[in-house]
Amino acid sequence: MIEPSLQIGGGNWANKSDSLLGYHKDGANFYADELTFSRNSEGSYTDANGLIQSMPYNLLQQSNSFSTTWVTSSATITGGQSGYDGTNNAWQLTSLTSGGNIYQSNTQNEQQTFSVYAKGSVSNGIRIYAFGGVNANVYFDLNNGNIGSIQGAGVTAAIESVSGGWYKCSISFNQTNATLRFYPSNNANAMAAGSIYIQDAQLNQGSTALPYFATTTRLNLARVDYKDNVNGSLLLEPQRTNLLTYSEQMDNAAWVKQDSSVTANSTTSPDGTQNADKLVENDQNQAHYIQANSGSFTAGSYCLSIFAKAGERSIIQLLMSGSVNADAYANFDLVNGVISASASSTATIQSFGNGWYRCNMVFTASSASSPLGFYCIQNSPTATRALNYLGNGTSGIYIYGAQLEQGSYSTSYIKSEGAATTRLADSCSGAGNSEVFNDSEGVLFIEAATLSELDITARYFQLSDGTITANGITFRYYTTTNYFQALYYTGGAYQAVLSVFLSDSSQFNKIAYKYKANDFALWVNGVKIGTDTSGNTGAVLSNLNFNNNGFDSFEGKTKQLLYFNEALSDTELATLTTI
């Protein structure tokens, strides 16, 4: 089989702000083909270790552009310095007084780690200071790699020798930040006028420094999700809002406790940090639950979800207030991963490892009011709605990441900290050019899954000339459940339209469409679905988009997308598409 002239994914992902990189191979050389990517908001994904992470997990803006969003105070910053990684991307930080520093404002309220690569210059030490809360404050000796004075309750520090006199210095703390600062210092734990070199700063959740992830704008970074997929898949989702104002801090007063209590930070959550709470029943013969008011909403489909893990109890029930839908509830068995749901709701459960499950309940709201989301401990996998039982005052369930969103299926976790929070829609388009694609013949291949087979909005991939008339190839998951079409359009008319009902569009399917004059074919999962032996080619092909020229964006997961600039044989197409 010939090499594809364009590849995206397939285990090879290259991601940077505002773009996702496809590539093609010419002999032994690889060349990048950029797709424009935007989301303009944070998003979450499951990383290769199975942990839920923010994208990007580096919470700093301009993590190695210290002359941009960073502020100098009685200090100067000079780029173009020799770095720890062999580049000239390091910076010289010069303090003009004993308190000169560089800082960035950043507010987080969780366990976090602040790190930077540093090397001595005129000064031989660095003070790293996270102002706010416990005021985490640590000195590092850049001559011998020692950690000096540590200040702040619960603050820990680490230093790692890299090479050429460089050290990776990090401090870990749990507080609400106001500013994050670097000061040149001496090895006597004192700030001093002088200079040091710094490179690649990072702030991440958790108690250890993660591998460095460069950021510029932070927000327009594509998410490659590894949930149940070792090679990763590009995650593209619609705009959604978590209507619950505190998704994690369920000991907060915004959550009403009924015959129950919440113990904060009781165990390690699906994001790998100790920030999951425990919902504990009291000793009364009542329903034991917590609830949160999401604010006003319109009638329609909604999804209530939470991450839960068995403690002394192993059944959690999700339900809505009677004014919204009195019949909507579902029980989730957190040991066996099974569900018992009412007829007026649809429930799913997803394992996230280490005993954690994401429990999802979709329901139709019957009124335009303020919905109350309930999370209720139960002692029976078939319990009726809000069933009373006699608690013992100590048993409970671990909970994390509550979410209520409008839509017919759940999307990735949206963290909220005091207000309803919106993740904006993903957009990805613009790979390749007329030199990459062959106007006369070729093959377009995807391995992709929609977010839900129940979602029957139109969702497109398109290889075209970039005009609204869409001369070229269109792949569309259309407005009937599991219905897929592949179309070739040129000369003002469709030349070949081939379609199939997939067994489940939300599962990964391998789909290939061959185009050549009077020789069109559609292959799905190793099977030739249909052919068309009459039709012209010749459309100018110059743009590959995950949408219909800016509309009807594909929403789902894409493991890989390949384009071949020659028509492949049936044997090759069968091999390419076999699951």
Side-chain angles (χ1 to χ4, degrees):
M1 188 181 300
I2 64 169
E3 285 281 350
S5 55
L6 175 66
Q7 304 184 56
I8 299 169
N12 298 309
W13 299 99
N15 195 4
K16 65 178 185 178
S17 292
D18 304 317
S19 65
L20 177 73
L21 299 185
Y23 62 96
H24 67 273
K25 186 177 180 182
D26 185 1
N29 299 317
F30 288 85
Y31 299 92
D33 297 296
E34 290 196 18
L35 294 96
T36 300
F37 179 85
S38 68
R39 183 175 55 253
N40 294 311
S41 69
E42 292 187 1
S44 69
Y45 72 106
T46 305
D47 71 11
N49 296 315
L51 300 176
I52 296 173
Q53 297 280 8
S54 294
M55 174 49 74
Y57 56 71
N58 189 346
L59 301 171
L60 297 175
Q61 298 278 0
Q62 305 287 354
S63 59
N64 194 49
S65 297
F66 292 105
S67 60
T68 54
T69 55
W70 295 80
V71 179
T72 54
S73 176
S74 300
T76 61
I77 190 78
T78 305
Q81 309 299 311
S82 179
Y84 72 93
D85 55 359
T87 68
N88 290 322
N89 293 332
W91 300 73
Q92 186 174 45
L93 173 62
T94 301
S95 174
L96 305 177
T97 68
S98 63
N101 67 91
I102 189 169
Y103 67 90
Q104 182 178 131
S105 298
N106 193 295
T107 301
Q108 307 291 329
N109 185 16
E110 59 196 344
Q111 184 70 38
Q112 54 205 284
T113 299
F114 183 34
S115 61
V116 71
Y117 291 85
K119 178 181 177 179
S121 178
V122 175
S123 301
N124 52 24
I126 184 172
R127 178 198 186 201
I128 302 180
Y129 181 35
F131 175 75
V134 301
N135 290 329
N137 184 1
V138 180
Y139 285 88
F140 297 86
D141 188 328
L142 300 178
N143 269 346
N144 55 29
N146 290 335
I147 297 172
S149 170
I150 299 177
Q151 301 175 31
V155 176
T156 59
I159 187 168
E160 174 190 355
S161 177
V162 181
S163 63
W166 283 92
Y167 293 90
K168 185 175 184 179
C169 306
S170 62
I171 64 172
S172 182
F173 48 90
N174 192 332
Q175 68 177 35
T176 300
N177 300 332
T179 57
L180 301 161
R181 300 175 182 264
F182 300 126
Y183 298 78
S185 70
N186 59 37
N187 58 3
N189 296 336
M191 295 178 293
S195 62
I196 57 173
Y197 298 106
I198 58 173
Q199 186 179 356
D200 294 351
Q202 180 161 288
L203 179 70
N204 62 258
Q205 296 177 352
S207 57
T208 57
L210 297 175
Y212 173 67
F213 195 124
T215 64
T216 52
T217 62
R218 283 199 75 248
L219 300 181
N220 290 326
L221 278 159
R223 293 174 290 164
V224 177
D225 190 87
Y226 291 86
K227 181 73 175 76
D228 303 322
N229 176 15
V230 295
N231 288 324
S233 55
L234 174 63
L235 176 61
L236 301 175
E237 293 184 302
Q239 177 174 315
R240 287 287 180 89
T241 298
N242 187 352
L243 299 169
L244 302 178
T245 56
Y246 285 91
S247 63
E248 295 179 14
Q249 297 164 293
M250 292 175 227
D251 58 328
N252 188 280
W255 287 93
V256 178
K257 291 79 175 174
Q258 182 66 42
D259 289 289
S260 66
S261 62
V262 171
T263 305
N265 303 324
S266 294
T267 194
T268 302
S269 79
D271 71 13
T273 61
Q274 189 163 329
N275 60 352
D277 298 337
K278 188 175 185 181
L279 175 61
V280 180
E281 65 193 34
N282 69 8
D283 59 0
Q284 300 300 303
N285 187 16
Q286 298 289 340
H288 309 277
Y289 60 86
I290 57 172
Q291 67 184 56
N293 192 328
S294 72
S296 61
F297 77 119
T298 57
S301 294
Y302 285 78
C303 182
L304 181 67
S305 62
I306 197 167
F307 294 87
K309 179 178 179 177
E312 297 80 12
R313 299 294 184 191
S314 61
I315 310 298
I316 190 170
Q317 184 179 90
L318 276 59
L319 63 155
M320 294 303 296
S321 64
S323 64
V324 174
N325 188 325
D327 297 320
Y329 70 91
N331 299 314
F332 299 84
D333 184 332
L334 303 175
V335 172
N336 300 302
V338 296
I339 303 165
S340 171
S342 65
S344 61
S345 63
T346 302
T348 58
I349 189 168
Q350 301 167 285
S351 173
F352 272 76
N354 196 30
W356 284 100
Y357 291 90
R358 192 180 191 192
C359 306
N360 311 279
M361 183 185 73
V362 175
F363 62 94
T364 300
S366 58
S367 64
S369 61
S370 298
L372 292 170
F374 292 78
Y375 302 95
C376 185
I377 306 172
Q378 288 292 359
N379 63 354
S380 168
T382 58
T384 56
R385 186 180 185 278
L387 180 69
N388 293 348
Y389 73 92
L390 181 62
N392 59 23
T394 59
S395 295
I397 284 172
Y398 299 102
I399 52 177
Y400 167 84
Q403 188 156 307
L404 176 63
E405 57 190 307
Q406 185 170 15
S408 60
Y409 56 90
S410 66
T411 63
S412 60
Y413 173 52
I414 303 169
K415 183 178 181 178
S416 61
E417 297 179 289
T421 303
T422 299
R423 180 198 61 243
L424 299 178
D426 299 290
S427 175
C428 192
S429 61
N433 54 53
S434 59
E435 296 179 359
V436 173
F437 306 117
N438 185 342
D439 298 343
S440 299
E441 64 175 272
V443 171
L444 182 62
F445 166 86
I446 60 169
E447 184 176 5
T450 63
L451 297 175
S452 170
E453 66 174 330
L454 302 178
D455 179 12
I456 55 174
T457 56
R459 290 147 293 170
Y460 283 72
F461 293 91
Q462 198 164 80
L463 174 54
S464 72
D465 61 1
T467 67
I468 195 65
T469 53
N471 287 303
I473 302 168
T474 295
F475 281 1
R476 65 184 181 189
Y477 295 84
Y478 214 38
T479 54
T480 301
T481 302
N482 294 323
Y483 187 54
F484 178 87
Q485 284 186 316
L487 313 96
Y488 191 96
Y489 183 93
T490 191
Y494 287 114
Q495 302 298 315
V497 179
L498 300 172
S499 59
V500 61
F501 278 95
L502 302 170
S503 59
D504 185 349
S505 68
S506 67
Q507 300 300 310
F508 283 102
N509 293 281
K510 291 185 175 182
I511 301 172
Y513 183 70
K514 177 182 73 173
Y515 68 97
K516 189 176 182 180
N518 302 319
D519 184 10
F520 298 83
L522 177 64
W523 287 74
V524 178
N525 298 336
V527 177
K528 184 190 289 186
I529 298 299
T531 61
D532 190 323
T533 57
S534 63
N536 298 319
T537 58
V540 175
L541 304 176
S542 58
N543 287 274
L544 176 68
N545 299 316
F546 286 71
N547 55 56
N548 179 17
N549 288 306
F551 301 93
D552 301 321
S553 294
F554 176 71
E555 296 166 355
K557 296 182 177 183
T558 304
K559 281 188 179 180
Q560 57 179 330
L561 185 151
L562 306 175
Y563 172 78
F564 299 85
N565 62 6
E566 296 179 20
L568 301 179
S569 68
D570 282 3
T571 299
E572 290 172 321
L573 288 165
T575 299
L576 179 65
T577 59
T578 297
I579 296 292

